[in-house]
Amino acid sequence: MARYRYGRWSGGADPLAPPADLRAALDELGREVMEGASPQSALRELLRRGMPGTRGLDELTRRVWERRSQIQRRHRLDGTLQEVRRLLDQALEAERRELFPDPSDDARFREAQLDALPPGTAAAVTELAEYDWRSEQGRESYRQIQDLLGGELLEQRFQGMKQALQNATPQDVEQIKQMLSDLNSLLSAHAAGEDTGERFAEFMRQHGQYFPENPRNTDELVDALAARSAAAQRMLNSMTAEQRAELAQLTQQALGDPNLAAQLDLLDAHLRGMRPGEDWTSSGRFRGKNPLGLGEGAQAMADLAELDGLAEQLAQSYPGARLEDIDIESLVRQLGDESGVDARRLAELERELRQQGLLERAPDGGLRLTPKALRRLGETALRQVVDQLRGRGERDSDRSGAAGEPTGASKPWQFGDTEPWEVSRTVRNAVLRTASAGGGRVRLEVEDVEVVETEQRARAAVALCVDTSWSMVQDGRWVPMKRTALALHQLIRTRFRTDALELITFGRHASTVDIGELTALEGVWEQGTNLHHALLLAGRHVRRHPDAQPVVLVVTDGEPTAHLESDGSAEFNYPPLPRTLAKTVAEVDGLAKLGASITVFRLGDDPRLASFVDLVARRGGGRVIAPDEDGLGAAVVGDYLRNRRSRR
């Protein structure tokens, strides 16, 4: 019989966690890119801010610095010195109590010895090293000083050693001293270039319980010890000169054996020589009230170093930075499990955006949105536009014109339909009908038949001319303009594939662009609204498609202030020159002769612009629409669909 055991998941990322929300992330990326950011900086901004339910790098970094500040603000580093002083006072008080009732000269001599002790803690402890205690409590307190110093010194360099020394027997202490001797011997051989594989294995077999890091070879052992030893040195650097001097003197009494301090000094020398790249020289400022012992202080310094490393990883400011660089185990250790989950989700999001083909390397080495990403952005933009159109009660019919083209859907056959059968749906209907009737042999009935739904369309040549002058950026119309182009591009590419769309931008000059270029276009400060040049390019596009119905859509927030000269240069003037207006109107007339209807989408309330676009509408047989920024997409797509309906 199979048996199962349930427990907390400890295998890294949660296998049941929801996948990264790529569509929401792509929408955010698209918004940043359309506002003028590069895809690289847009991705960085997305990861910095995070997503709903996932804290970003900025929040994780803030928590790292907050944790770092708490360590320094709450603690001080003289805990061991304070504890030694307390034990010393306790020992002296017990000894004096024991001597007071004794009338002998020996008792008075001992009291004089105690009264003559130097005021410094370390000097007094050293002076009492040979003192013959009469009080058992005093002797025990003094022994605790020696054990405390030994435990703290070892805890500085070996994590968990202080706990291992609690209630330790003399045999346990001797084993630790032997471990230090064997360790120094191993490191000496390794530093000399000897092969220490077998010696390391034997060392770990005998002393592995003192190394919870479970190193696999001598180098990993050196790495772990050097990091801890460097933290201990940084702690000493952070103390005052008087405190360092006291500790240096006290260490000679550690475990009652001066050789212990010598072994530890030798160990530090080995580690400093083999890992000079560790931080042995810096210090920290601790200004709190909670005293830390030597081991706790070394751990605090190690935590500070780990937090500094996490801050650098979270900043992602170095070349080739990836979120996979973040040490999740360190992050969890310092900030908790939730922060580890957030970091994993962000890393997964970055990885999936690349692996799903939404971002790719551009020729210049930077990132750019892929056609797949642009399609998804277009789908989102079109969905928003369609929702707006539905809110206004507008619909497009499922049939238009004379050239049948599948829509991807099917419908029940009706008498007179000539479209091809949708075979899979037809057979499915027959199977379901037969099964619901009790089974038996499947036979097709007329009611089972579905045919391919098609749209009948007349072909159109569409030119979307969008104003890219600085005022569009300045007045918050830049992103709505790009979303409008994305929505129209997506609609034509997926629903009206026979139509030919040309995207034309115009500022001081006009140019044709693809949807990727328009999406990533950055706003540039330049003067000029060269509608004349844009209409020239629109006319060229219309003439390339003589069999199509011409449609020209113009989005602008300013009257024409520039025109194209015969030599290709643009002449700018504000207010507009009569020559600029005349050349622009001449292009309007030329498009009208080609049968093009021009719809102008006027943004803003400039009365001079309103007067001019009314003139364009009258001369070109088109119309003027004045939407707000949020309604621009629906206005443009709705007008395009209205033009299609008028041609059926």
Side-chain angles (χ1 to χ4, degrees):
M1 178 178 177
R3 301 181 65 183
Y4 301 94
R5 182 169 59 88
Y6 298 91
R8 184 175 181 179
W9 171 257
S10 59
D14 184 356
L16 300 180
D21 190 351
L22 292 184
R23 183 170 292 279
L26 183 60
D27 288 344
E28 285 293 311
L29 279 178
R31 183 181 62 79
E32 292 287 339
V33 169
M34 287 189 285
E35 286 181 352
S38 68
Q40 182 78 47
S41 62
L43 176 59
R44 187 163 55 246
E45 183 67 20
L46 173 67
L47 297 175
R48 283 182 57 246
R49 287 198 312 263
M51 297 287 293
T54 302
R55 285 169 290 199
L57 297 178
D58 279 357
E59 175 61 17
L60 293 176
T61 301
R62 185 195 66 78
R63 297 188 66 201
V64 163
W65 287 114
E66 182 179 52
R67 163 80 171 141
R68 195 185 195 285
S69 177
Q70 287 174 352
I71 292 175
Q72 293 182 295
R73 195 171 59 245
R74 294 179 179 177
H75 302 295
R76 49 193 293 184
L77 298 179
D78 59 352
T80 298
L81 293 175
Q82 286 190 19
E83 182 64 12
V84 169
R85 183 76 249 181
R86 186 188 69 80
L87 290 172
L88 178 61
D89 291 342
Q90 182 176 294
L92 293 175
E93 182 182 356
E95 184 70 4
R96 286 190 172 98
R97 283 199 309 268
E98 182 74 20
L99 295 173
F100 180 75
D102 186 351
S104 68
D105 291 339
D106 179 65
R108 301 292 78 75
F109 176 74
R110 288 173 179 272
E111 287 177 340
Q113 278 186 290
L114 298 182
D115 291 339
L117 288 173
T121 302
V125 170
T126 303
E127 189 81 13
L128 292 169
E130 303 299 328
Y131 182 78
D132 184 16
W133 296 86
R134 292 266 296 268
S135 166
E136 286 298 326
Q137 183 181 353
R139 181 181 295 107
E140 176 62 21
S141 295
Y142 187 80
R143 188 191 64 78
Q144 288 179 14
I145 291 175
Q146 295 177 320
D147 291 348
L148 170 69
L149 291 170
E152 292 286 3
L153 285 173
L154 291 169
E155 179 74 8
Q156 272 191 311
R157 296 160 177 83
F158 304 94
Q159 189 173 6
M161 190 66 78
K162 185 177 179 180
Q163 288 77 11
L165 279 171
Q166 291 178 353
N167 303 318
T169 65
Q171 292 77 13
D172 295 331
V173 174
E174 286 302 318
Q175 186 176 0
I176 290 173
K177 293 177 182 177
Q178 184 62 47
M179 181 273 291
L180 285 174
S181 177
D182 294 346
L183 176 59
N184 278 318
S185 176
L186 173 65
L187 297 185
S188 295
H190 189 68
E194 298 180 18
D195 183 358
T196 58
E198 292 184 5
R199 292 183 64 171
F200 170 79
E202 177 62 20
F203 175 83
M204 292 300 294
R205 187 184 66 79
Q206 294 184 17
H207 309 297
Q209 69 270 25
Y210 300 119
F211 301 93
E213 303 90 350
N214 194 27
R216 294 172 294 181
N217 51 52
T218 307
D219 281 322
E220 289 190 6
L221 175 64
V222 171
D223 288 339
L225 291 174
R228 189 79 177 179
S229 180
Q233 182 60 53
R234 293 195 300 275
M235 177 193 173
L236 291 176
N237 299 342
S238 304
M239 302 175 77
T240 66
E242 293 78 7
Q243 290 171 335
R244 287 196 295 271
E246 289 250 309
L247 280 175
Q249 190 172 357
L250 283 171
T251 55
Q252 303 304 315
Q253 303 302 317
L255 297 178
D257 185 359
N259 185 54
L260 177 67
Q263 289 282 359
L264 291 175
D265 288 343
L266 180 59
L267 174 62
D268 290 340
H270 283 314
L271 296 173
R272 189 185 289 261
M274 286 187 282
R275 293 295 184 270
E278 288 285 347
D279 183 4
W280 300 92
T281 59
S282 68
S283 61
R285 182 186 176 194
F286 290 77
R287 52 192 183 276
K289 297 181 179 180
N290 179 37
L292 297 178
L294 296 181
E296 294 170 329
Q299 183 59 53
M301 299 304 297
D303 286 341
L304 292 180
E306 189 168 65
L307 289 166
D308 288 341
L310 286 171
E312 182 180 5
Q313 295 162 17
L314 292 170
Q316 296 282 290
S317 57
Y318 49 91
R322 290 287 186 90
L323 292 191
E324 283 87 350
D325 301 340
I326 297 175
D327 187 340
I328 301 297
E329 291 183 0
S330 295
L331 192 66
V332 170
R333 188 160 48 245
Q334 295 297 335
L335 302 184
D337 292 337
E338 289 185 1
S339 295
V341 171
D342 291 331
R344 287 191 184 96
R345 285 177 177 171
L346 291 174
E348 179 191 4
L349 180 62
E350 180 189 42
R351 183 172 57 252
E352 289 298 314
L353 283 170
R354 298 175 188 270
Q355 293 181 354
Q356 292 293 326
L358 302 178
L359 294 171
E360 64 183 3
R361 287 288 174 191
D364 62 359
L367 291 179
R368 66 183 179 190
L369 298 177
T370 64
K372 180 179 181 180
L374 292 172
R375 286 196 298 273
R376 291 196 180 181
L377 288 177
E379 290 170 3
T380 300
L382 182 58
R383 189 183 314 114
Q384 293 170 347
V385 166
V386 169
D387 289 343
Q388 287 181 312
L389 290 174
R390 286 173 176 167
R392 292 177 358 191
E394 298 185 22
R395 297 287 192 279
D396 188 26
S397 73
D398 59 350
R399 303 177 63 89
S400 54
E405 184 175 335
T407 67
S410 62
K411 64 176 184 177
W413 177 84
Q414 295 179 347
F415 180 78
D417 286 341
T418 60
E419 292 86 355
W421 283 21
E422 173 49 75
V423 177
S424 60
R425 292 297 299 265
T426 299
V427 173
R428 176 177 176 273
N429 292 341
V431 170
L432 292 176
R433 179 182 49 76
T434 303
S436 65
R441 185 177 180 183
V442 177
R443 298 177 61 87
L444 290 179
E445 302 289 346
V446 172
E447 63 192 68
D448 301 324
V449 177
E450 292 198 23
V451 296
V452 175
E453 184 183 69
T454 62
E455 293 177 334
Q456 307 297 324
R457 303 177 183 139
R459 189 164 177 266
V462 184
L464 175 61
C465 307
V466 292
D467 188 345
T468 56
S469 61
W470 181 248
S471 60
M472 292 284 288
V473 179
Q474 182 175 278
D475 295 333
R477 295 158 184 156
W478 193 251
V479 174
M481 174 270 290
K482 291 185 176 183
R483 284 181 177 152
T484 297
L486 275 167
L488 184 62
H489 178 271
Q490 179 70 13
L491 177 65
I492 291 176
R493 191 189 68 82
T494 58
R495 183 86 186 275
F496 302 103
R497 291 186 291 270
T498 59
D499 286 2
L501 174 63
E502 183 91 296
L503 299 175
I504 301 171
T505 62
F506 62 97
R508 177 68 69 95
H509 289 84
S511 62
T512 59
V513 296
D514 61 33
I515 191 61
E517 292 172 323
L518 179 58
T519 302
L521 186 66
E522 296 183 23
V524 178
W525 191 90
E526 66 173 1
Q527 293 178 309
T529 303
N530 199 336
L531 181 58
H532 167 242
H533 193 183
L535 295 179
L536 274 173
L537 296 179
R540 185 178 67 181
H541 174 63
V542 167
R543 284 188 287 272
R544 281 202 302 264
H545 302 277
D547 60 329
Q549 175 67 34
V551 177
V552 178
L553 310 173
V554 177
V555 177
T556 184
D557 68 347
E559 59 184 322
T561 55
H563 65 268
L564 198 67
E565 293 287 356
S566 57
D567 61 357
S569 63
E571 183 175 351
F572 164 78
N573 195 78
Y574 185 83
L577 296 171
R579 178 172 168 76
T580 298
L581 298 177
K583 291 176 76 70
T584 304
V585 170
E587 287 305 315
V588 172
D589 294 340
L591 286 167
K593 291 178 181 178
L594 293 173
S597 62
I598 302 177
T599 303
V600 180
F601 300 88
R602 174 174 60 81
L603 301 175
D605 300 320
D606 183 1
R608 294 173 61 95
L609 172 62
S611 176
F612 177 77
V613 296
D614 286 343
L615 172 63
V616 169
R618 291 195 302 271
R619 298 288 289 263
R623 64 177 185 151
V624 177
I625 301 175
D628 57 21
E629 286 76 12
D630 292 337
L632 177 61
V636 171
V637 171
D639 188 75
Y640 166 75
L641 295 174
R642 183 189 65 82
N643 272 286
R644 291 201 59 84
R645 284 193 293 268
S646 68
R647 297 196 304 272
R648 293 173 185 171

